[in-house]
Amino acid sequence: METFSEHYASLEAALNKYMPDTDRSLIDRAVEYAREKHKEQKRKDGSPYIIHPLAVAEIVAEMGLDTDAVLGALLHDCIEDTDASFDDIARQFGTTTAELVEGVTKLTRANFSSSEEQQMENLRKMFMAMSKDIRVVLIKIADRLHNMRTMQYQSPAKQISKCRETMDIYAPLAHRLGMQKMKWELEDIALRYLDPAGYDDIMSYLRAHKEQDEAFMQTIQEKITLRLTDMGIHSTTYGRIKHVYSIYRKMAQQDKRMDELYDIYAFRVVVDTIPDCYNVLGHIHDLFNLVPGRFKDYISTPKPNMYQSLHTTVIGTQGIPFEVQIRTWQMHETAEYGIAAHWKYKQGNVGGNEKDFEWVRRLLESQQDTDAEDYVNSLKIDMFDDEVFVFTPKGKIVSLPAGSTPIDFAYAIHSGVGNSLTGAKVNNRIVNIDTALENGDIVEIITSKSAKGPSRDWLNICKSNQARTKIKQWFKKERREENITHGKASFESEMRRLLLPLPGSMEEALEQTLLRKLAFDSWDDLYAAIGYGGLTATKAVGRIRDDITKAVKAQNQEKANQNPLRTPAEPVKKDRHAVNGVIVEDIDSCMIKFAKCCTPVPGDAIIGFITKGFGVSIHRVDCPNTIGAHDPQQAARWVRVRWDQVEEQPFDTTLELDCITRDGLLLDLAMVMTTARVRVKELSGKDLPDGHSVFTVRFEVRNVTELESIRNKLLNIRDVLGSRRGQN
Ligand code: MN
């Protein structure tokens, strides 16, 4: 079992290598702090938990990172796994350290392994973007490396998921950050669990050929060293077998067996200066046969991850090809530790953080890549200033424009979530809905069925077009008052165009029937639907038109039947003599004529006017010309008259019909009149500009009952909307 003191000692050793003179008291305090906080916890292998942070700190120290990063590594699990708080760590070890720990905690909480393939690219971007400070990523990679090294204690399921995640996220990241050494180790351990058989095949082949390989490498190394020493070039040369996963990948890509693969050997020549690099290259090409097309100059054109070296592939005396990489010590450092090496060189002039960040940004932004093969798994990472990546409580990643709020998040999930949003939690704490989200935040939207929907302010708060569009849509749909006004106007205009009575002027029962037919609960609902464009006024009116027409006709008939006379007829006075069927009260045997203006027929309520020299003129009481009856000066000339009940002679009367213009309507009218055996004196029509026509029909009837019966027959004709008694 691993012990605390072993690990503490090797951390000391790693620190002594590059910061021998630095005050170690803060680091020692962090070791004690973490040890105390984790004291109840054990690793899966039963060793004390503190071993893990110590080992992670050691890896971070091997990268040569600064004190803050070492502190961050030591405390990296404190916020997540113990009662330690950000504030407590900030107070004791400084804000920078606390922020590093918090950053690592966020990455730890992010559930990368549950993500789907297509989210991978987003995840990598997010991973980078989440870490304002690149050291967070470096600590996290160190954390993962130590967890990979101790993977044997995990359950098989966890091994697979963690190794998958390592292949998908951590190894490509390490590569992108130029940390070859870590990348290789991560890949090799992951492969061991993901394809144990494939891994074992390669390992056993390598074991079986170990002596042979070593002898070969020894020969080549000596040959190179001898030549360079002869030429007075200060250099270190060593050979190695490429790492297992790169061999594995080559086999898969080239569909070759292990013994068919060439190029599994790599030699490094590390020198002091760049001119030495080119100098060495010349000697290598002189010593061995060059394999054409394999030379690459990454010194004049560094890789995006800042890697620099000369690469060439040559064939040795035994016909075995091998690669030679030539670089300076500084290039070597960058190749091994990548971005981390940068800290090594910057050690001492801390505070240039802004500039460091620029360097990282440039590195990450440069997408030029000349070596496709090496970049099979390469990443396209930007710092994504314009994007923020957050999580749903279930771990789904959501990408939003920078500065987005819980409102944007809610609408990104679903417009229904946005519309019923009442509040939000970020990282389990209630926040204002205008809070700007940060990378890695876990966002939970609080919704309510009784939510009133988005507020107009949200349009100013939200950052995403998606949210804005959806909120606008909602207002379009839900801005009820405006929609009602708008919808009502177009509905009523359509009704008027068709000369239909407007809602509110029809009988309650009829209106209810119409609403049922339209499938709305109220006229306002109908108007709102028309207002937002869910239904056109034409369509709505078309659906109820026939019902209204029919009902109005029925009503008219009923009215006519119930109340044919506005003034009940006086009891017949038999002693009065009727002239032309009309009895004039108080006046006997006077001349009677029927007013042309209103053509009264028996049954109509009538009134008489004593004309100057033409006897009594009979009007309907509803004739506009009877207005004079109310004039006190003329009142004496108006006399009460009534129909003689026995009179059966025909009278002329006129109806005006409001109709929708159509061919054949005149014919229909004529047919009805003929069928009813009515004597038509005049039938004419006039088209109005709005698609309507007015027909005037003058005909003979014996009484008002007959008139109403004919009127109803006319109203039953299709497209006849209404009728009026004629007023000449
Ligand atoms: Mn950890």
Side-chain angles (χ1 to χ4, degrees):
M1 189 158 75
E2 299 169 76
T3 66
F4 170 80
S5 36
E6 271 169 29
H7 278 273
Y8 183 74
S10 54
L11 171 61
E12 284 277 290
L15 291 169
N16 281 334
K17 268 189 203 159
Y18 74 105
M19 45 164 85
D21 306 323
T22 316
D23 177 16
R24 218 59 67 68
S25 61
L26 203 54
I27 290 177
D28 284 341
R29 260 200 9 239
V31 170
E32 279 315 307
Y33 183 91
R35 194 184 190 186
E36 176 62 23
K37 288 290 179 192
H38 290 298
K39 71 170 182 236
E40 305 296 338
Q41 298 164 321
K42 290 256 185 293
R43 296 279 289 166
K44 281 265 158 61
D45 66 347
S47 56
Y49 194 87
I50 186 64
I51 301 288
H52 170 63
L54 277 177
V56 174
E58 187 185 332
I59 296 168
V60 163
E62 279 168 1
M63 292 187 221
L65 295 190
D66 56 14
T67 302
D68 283 334
V70 175
L71 293 173
L74 285 168
L75 304 173
H76 81 270
D77 277 331
C78 279
I79 290 183
E80 180 67 8
D81 292 340
T82 79
D83 62 359
S85 69
F86 177 91
D87 292 340
D88 192 30
I89 292 172
R91 200 165 44 246
Q92 298 207 42
F93 303 101
T95 314
T96 307
T97 300
E99 278 170 357
L100 289 175
V101 174
E102 191 182 55
V104 175
T105 304
K106 269 188 185 175
L107 293 186
T108 303
R109 283 179 186 159
N111 188 6
F112 297 108
S113 56
S114 71
S115 313
E116 291 159 31
E117 192 64 26
Q118 66 264 32
Q119 276 199 299
M120 218 39 91
E121 185 61 20
N122 258 356
L123 281 169
R124 291 174 190 142
K125 288 182 202 167
M126 191 215 59
F127 198 105
M128 292 307 300
M130 274 172 78
S131 333
K132 285 182 222 141
D133 189 326
I134 196 74
R135 285 173 295 183
V136 168
V137 178
L138 301 181
I139 295 169
K140 189 64 198 166
I141 291 175
D143 175 43
R144 173 51 56 106
L145 181 57
H146 184 243
N147 286 333
M148 290 298 285
R149 285 174 180 170
T150 53
M151 192 53 75
Q152 67 269 30
Y153 303 112
Q154 299 291 345
S155 70
K158 193 121 183 191
Q159 286 171 346
I160 297 296
S161 79
K162 288 287 167 193
C163 289
R164 194 70 260 160
E165 190 179 83
T166 296
M167 281 296 197
D168 288 337
I169 308 285
Y170 290 90
L173 265 178
H175 174 76
R176 201 69 179 91
L177 297 172
M179 304 153 78
Q180 295 309 323
K181 219 177 134 180
M182 300 190 108
K183 178 205 171 202
W184 291 339
E185 188 175 354
L186 288 169
E187 284 177 343
D188 283 359
I189 301 173
L191 179 65
R192 214 165 98 196
Y193 293 98
L194 293 174
D195 184 359
Y199 181 87
D200 285 346
D201 281 352
I202 295 171
M203 286 307 283
S204 53
Y205 181 93
L206 291 177
R207 265 195 300 273
H209 296 76
K210 195 164 187 270
E211 277 176 31
Q212 205 179 314
D213 287 342
E214 277 176 357
F216 171 73
M217 288 192 288
Q218 182 76 21
T219 316
I220 301 294
Q221 186 190 327
E222 276 168 7
K223 198 165 179 180
I224 295 172
T225 307
L226 188 64
R227 167 67 77 94
L228 296 182
T229 311
D230 275 358
M231 302 309 294
I233 298 170
H234 181 240
S235 66
T236 301
T237 299
Y238 61 93
R240 63 179 179 95
I241 304 279
K242 289 189 172 174
H243 76 292
V244 180
Y245 183 65
S246 78
I247 295 171
Y248 180 86
R249 219 178 55 210
K250 278 194 168 88
M251 287 168 69
Q253 278 170 357
Q254 300 170 16
D255 195 22
K256 281 185 173 155
R257 292 196 317 274
M258 185 78 200
D259 56 2
E260 296 173 316
L261 267 194
Y262 72 102
D263 204 13
I264 66 165
Y265 306 100
F267 292 83
R268 287 216 182 100
V269 183
V270 189
V271 294
D272 295 332
T273 67
I274 292 177
D276 277 351
C277 293
Y278 291 96
N279 209 351
V280 168
L281 180 72
H283 289 292
I284 300 291
H285 287 167
D286 187 44
L287 283 170
F288 309 101
N289 292 322
L290 170 71
V291 174
R294 299 274 299 179
F295 168 68
K296 286 162 203 144
D297 183 352
Y298 295 120
I299 290 179
S300 57
T301 314
K303 286 193 188 182
N305 62 13
M306 300 304 275
Y307 176 86
Q308 284 185 296
S309 280
L310 299 175
H311 286 194
T312 188
T313 301
V314 293
I315 297 175
T317 41
Q318 299 160 12
I320 300 170
F322 57 91
E323 186 180 69
V324 183
Q325 302 168 350
I326 307 160
R327 54 174 72 148
T328 65
W329 286 104
Q330 186 170 335
M331 291 172 193
H332 183 59
E333 196 80 340
T334 301
E336 298 275 282
Y337 296 107
I339 247 174
H342 176 68
W343 265 266
K344 232 173 210 173
Y345 298 125
K346 290 282 161 161
Q347 205 73 56
N349 44 336
V350 186
N353 224 329
E354 203 61 35
K355 213 167 152 252
D356 295 353
F357 197 71
E358 264 312 300
W359 185 84
V360 172
R361 180 199 300 274
R362 266 204 318 280
L363 181 154
L364 295 168
E365 276 173 358
S366 87
Q367 296 299 329
Q368 284 300 96
D369 194 357
T370 48
D371 188 354
E373 194 195 87
D374 274 1
Y375 273 66
V376 169
N377 289 329
S378 87
L379 299 171
K380 286 184 179 177
I381 304 170
D382 298 333
M383 285 314 265
F384 288 91
D385 281 348
D386 53 346
E387 269 181 275
V388 63
F389 299 90
V390 297
F391 292 99
T392 67
K394 284 183 178 166
K396 189 172 176 274
I397 187 166
V398 177
S399 154
L400 297 167
S404 283
T405 63
I407 297 171
D408 297 284
F409 178 87
Y411 280 102
I413 300 300
H414 191 269
S415 52
V417 175
N419 291 336
S420 53
L421 175 148
T422 56
K425 280 184 184 177
V426 169
N427 303 328
N428 240 346
R429 278 171 47 196
I430 300 271
V431 296
N432 288 332
I433 55 169
D434 61 354
T435 308
L437 298 175
E438 287 182 30
N439 279 308
D441 280 346
I442 297 168
V443 188
E444 190 180 342
I445 298 301
I446 303 163
T447 59
S448 161
K449 275 185 187 156
S450 57
K452 292 196 195 79
S455 119
R456 216 166 283 272
D457 303 340
W458 293 10
L459 287 169
N460 301 322
I461 296 170
C462 68
K463 285 283 178 296
S464 59
N465 286 332
Q466 191 183 28
R468 200 164 290 129
T469 308
K470 285 177 174 175
I471 293 170
K472 278 185 190 160
Q473 263 169 16
W474 185 89
F475 274 113
K476 195 172 147 205
K477 264 192 203 168
E478 307 290 326
R479 213 165 4 176
R480 207 174 144 79
E481 293 311 311
E482 275 175 42
N483 289 332
I484 288 175
T485 310
H486 183 74
K488 188 176 182 190
S490 51
F491 179 80
E492 289 190 344
S493 132
E494 179 66 11
M495 290 288 272
R496 262 188 232 107
R497 193 177 75 76
L498 298 178
L499 300 172
L500 297 171
L502 299 181
S505 70
M506 292 177 276
E507 285 192 354
E508 181 60 22
L510 171 60
E511 294 198 2
Q512 287 309 317
T513 310
L514 299 178
L515 284 169
R516 261 200 305 281
K517 183 139 191 181
L518 289 161
F520 285 97
D521 288 338
S522 71
W523 292 110
D524 278 358
D525 287 350
L526 169 71
Y527 299 153
I530 294 171
Y532 85 79
L535 177 71
T536 65
T538 318
K539 207 167 180 183
V541 173
R543 221 176 274 167
I544 56 172
R545 186 173 116 185
D546 288 350
D547 296 72
I548 299 177
T549 314
K550 254 179 233 159
V552 167
K553 282 172 183 173
Q555 274 172 28
N556 285 344
Q557 182 161 22
E558 205 179 324
K559 247 185 233 162
N561 292 344
Q562 275 175 358
N563 189 18
L565 304 174
R566 291 203 196 169
T567 45
E570 295 287 316
V572 178
K573 295 185 176 171
K574 290 190 174 148
D575 54 340
R576 291 294 172 206
H577 183 67
V579 179
N580 294 343
V582 172
I583 294 164
V584 181
E585 306 225 330
D586 305 325
I587 302 172
D588 222 356
S589 298
C590 63
M591 226 163 69
I592 295 289
K593 64 168 187 147
F594 293 99
K596 288 241 168 34
C597 53
C598 54
T599 58
V601 299
D604 280 331
I606 47 176
I607 190 167
F609 180 69
I610 303 165
T611 64
K612 292 180 177 166
F614 296 99
V616 174
S617 156
I618 306 299
H619 292 264
R620 290 185 356 237
V621 293
D622 55 359
C623 174
N625 291 329
T626 64
I627 188 105
H630 308 291
D631 182 348
Q633 289 194 342
Q634 293 194 5
R637 296 176 69 179
W638 290 93
V639 292
R640 285 154 66 106
V641 296
R642 59 188 163 86
W643 299 100
D644 187 343
Q645 282 180 320
V646 294
E647 204 52 66
E648 281 289 351
Q649 69 183 94
F651 294 80
D652 281 5
T653 191
T654 309
L655 280 178
E656 278 178 13
L657 304 170
D658 297 317
C659 310
I660 297 171
T661 308
R662 74 163 159 86
D663 291 344
L665 189 54
L666 187 66
L667 187 64
D668 287 354
L669 293 172
M671 283 295 289
V672 166
M673 299 305 266
T674 308
T675 311
R677 298 171 186 278
V678 176
R679 186 156 174 228
V680 176
K681 298 279 189 74
E682 185 189 333
L683 179 54
S684 65
K686 186 167 73 182
D687 287 352
L688 302 177
D690 62 353
H692 290 204
S693 307
V694 174
F695 283 89
T696 306
V697 50
R698 193 158 62 83
F699 55 101
E700 282 185 358
V701 289
R702 267 174 271 276
N703 54 46
V704 75
T705 311
E706 195 177 304
L707 170 61
E708 287 305 332
S709 144
I710 292 163
R711 192 215 287 258
N712 278 320
K713 286 190 173 100
L714 293 169
L715 284 170
N716 273 326
I717 297 169
R718 185 162 62 86
D719 292 326
V720 176
L721 304 169
S723 67
R724 276 183 304 278
R725 291 287 292 275
Q727 314 267 346
N728 282 352

